[in-house]
């Protein structure tokens, strides 16, 4: 992972997994709340596909977070 964008995508995927664990949710639960297939969410989290902004906004909302808060938490992971 060379670019900031690649590092941020990886950090975001990790942060989403942490948020799921804290809420006792799994990918199936989150995908259902977002109105997408679990396989699609899995592709986003594994980095096989970039997440479109509308999906990111829906994901943050589904976790009870603002998009800004979720992104800040992911960015903090890069700084660690």
């Amino acid at each position: 992972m060379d670019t900031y964008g690649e590092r941020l995508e990886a950090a975001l995927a990790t942060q989403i997994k942490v948020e799921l664990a804290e809420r006792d949710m799994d990918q199936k639960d989150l995908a259902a709340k977002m109105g997408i297939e679990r396989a699609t969410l899995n592709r986003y989290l594994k980095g096989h596909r970039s997440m479109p902004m509308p999906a990111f906004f829906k994901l943050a909302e589904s976790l009870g977070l603002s998009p800004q808060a979720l992104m800040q938490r992911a960015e903090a992971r890069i700084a660690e």
Side-chain angles (χ1 to χ4, degrees):
M1 278 184 260
D2 299 318
T3 69
Y4 179 78
E6 290 169 332
R7 291 191 312 272
L8 183 57
E9 276 192 291
L12 185 58
T14 299
Q15 188 60 42
I16 291 166
K17 292 172 189 173
V18 167
E19 300 294 339
L20 287 172
E22 288 177 354
R23 289 162 178 76
D24 197 29
M25 293 174 67
D26 60 21
Q27 287 185 26
K28 182 179 174 185
D29 299 326
L30 181 57
K33 279 186 137 186
M34 292 175 66
I36 64 172
E37 296 292 326
R38 189 206 59 80
T40 300
L41 178 60
N42 188 272
R43 283 193 281 282
Y44 296 152
L45 297 181
K46 288 192 174 204
H48 297 293
R49 185 170 167 202
S50 290
M51 188 181 308
M53 291 304 293
F56 174 72
F57 294 144
K58 186 67 178 172
L59 184 145
E61 177 186 314
S62 297
L63 291 173
L65 296 169
S66 70
Q68 179 184 14
L70 183 55
M71 189 61 71
Q72 285 174 337
R73 292 176 186 186
E75 285 183 313
R77 290 190 168 283
I78 294 173
E80 292 176 348

